[in-house]
Amino acid sequence: MKFAVLVFPGSNCDRDMYNAAIKSGVEAEYVDYRTSSLEGFDGVLIPGGFSFGDYLRSGAMASVAPVIKEVKRLAEEGKPVLGVCNGFQILTEIGLLPGALLHNDSHLFVSRNEQLKVVNNETKFTNLYEKDETVVYPVAHGEGHYYCTDDMYDALEANNQIILKYIDNPNGSHDDIAGIVNEAGNVCGMMPHPERALETLLGTDSGVKLFESMVNSWREQHV
């Protein structure tokens, strides 16, 4: 398995994403946002940061980058796509996930470890966790309030697309939502950073299972 780790001007978590992929036992390669082909890749990792300086709004400029057409193609083919923080913002901007990310209710940048509950452990991204397991991922964002309309929320609930919820909501997200998947289950977005939660030495290794879940799910289908 080989992941494409997208790099935009202002990305600052690409190295963490790359290391997470390697730690889970697969290949990874940095891919520039101007790339027009993702042939040969089995999945996409969209890192956090401030793509294009968050000009206009978070993820807006990145949403029209040349590589995005290929991200959509891989998503349509059922390949795993994970967007974290700014990556989540990009996924909502390009329509692969519903909703939008707004400024935190506090209007302050929040950076700390956060406790989360795994509310759906039956996805490609969470199947190695226990249902309702508490995990600890760092958060680092100023625009992390997940917003959706009532109809969107009803659909998320009906399709079991909500996978992570905050235990102590840091940003005002609707119903404490921290992470979701698309209806097909192969595209995932979340504001907390599992790629920064790989070592107990650094405070938490809760993110290891997320990347291993992705890899194991792929191997079950292809090996």
Side-chain angles (χ1 to χ4, degrees):
M1 186 180 191
K2 186 176 182 181
F3 280 111
V5 179
L6 303 192
V7 182
F8 299 92
S11 296
N12 63 18
C13 299
D14 42 308
R15 180 180 295 181
D16 295 319
M17 279 290 206
Y18 178 90
N19 289 339
I22 298 301
K23 187 178 179 68
S24 63
V26 298
E27 296 180 66
E29 183 177 316
Y30 296 115
V31 176
D32 187 87
Y33 70 100
R34 292 163 290 194
T35 299
S36 58
S37 174
L38 290 178
E39 287 296 331
F41 290 100
D42 303 298
V44 181
L45 304 176
I46 310 177
F50 306 90
S51 58
F52 296 94
D54 283 347
Y55 185 65
L56 299 181
R57 62 180 176 274
S58 299
M61 296 293 289
S63 71
V64 295
V67 74
I68 293 300
K69 183 177 180 180
E70 282 291 273
V71 174
K72 291 180 177 179
R73 179 180 65 81
L74 265 61
E76 290 171 0
E77 292 176 357
K79 294 182 178 180
V81 177
L82 172 66
V84 172
C85 199
N86 191 228
F88 187 13
Q89 294 162 343
I90 292 170
L91 289 175
T92 60
E93 283 285 335
I94 65 178
L96 288 183
L97 291 174
L101 282 304
L102 308 180
H103 287 284
N104 299 343
D105 282 3
S106 65
H107 293 282
L108 298 174
F109 188 91
V110 178
S111 180
R112 67 193 188 205
N113 280 350
E114 203 67 59
Q115 288 192 326
L116 308 149
K117 180 183 288 189
V118 180
V119 295
N120 179 1
N121 69 332
E122 298 180 353
T123 75
K124 296 177 184 292
F125 305 90
T126 58
N127 56 62
L128 291 181
Y129 294 102
E130 298 295 325
K131 181 171 173 52
D132 295 329
E133 180 176 345
T134 297
V135 298
V136 178
Y137 295 167
V139 298
H141 57 252
E143 297 174 57
H145 175 139
Y146 179 73
Y147 168 83
C148 59
T149 65
D150 290 340
D151 287 344
M152 287 178 179
Y153 179 74
D154 290 344
L156 290 172
E157 282 272 277
N159 298 320
N160 208 21
Q161 291 174 245
I162 302 168
I163 63 169
L164 287 173
K165 288 190 176 184
Y166 298 107
I167 292 176
D168 181 15
N169 193 330
N171 51 42
S173 286
H174 184 78
D175 195 33
D176 302 324
I177 293 172
I180 62 174
V181 293
N182 64 342
E183 286 190 44
N186 66 302
V187 178
C188 175
M190 62 183 67
M191 288 309 295
H193 291 267
E195 80 283 5
R196 295 185 185 177
L198 303 179
E199 300 286 349
T200 54
L201 182 65
L202 299 178
T204 172
D205 64 352
S206 293
V208 172
K209 289 180 182 178
L210 185 136
F211 290 94
E212 290 181 344
S213 292
M214 294 173 65
V215 172
N216 289 350
S217 295
W218 183 88
R219 285 174 172 162
E220 287 174 1
Q221 292 181 322
H222 296 88
V223 177

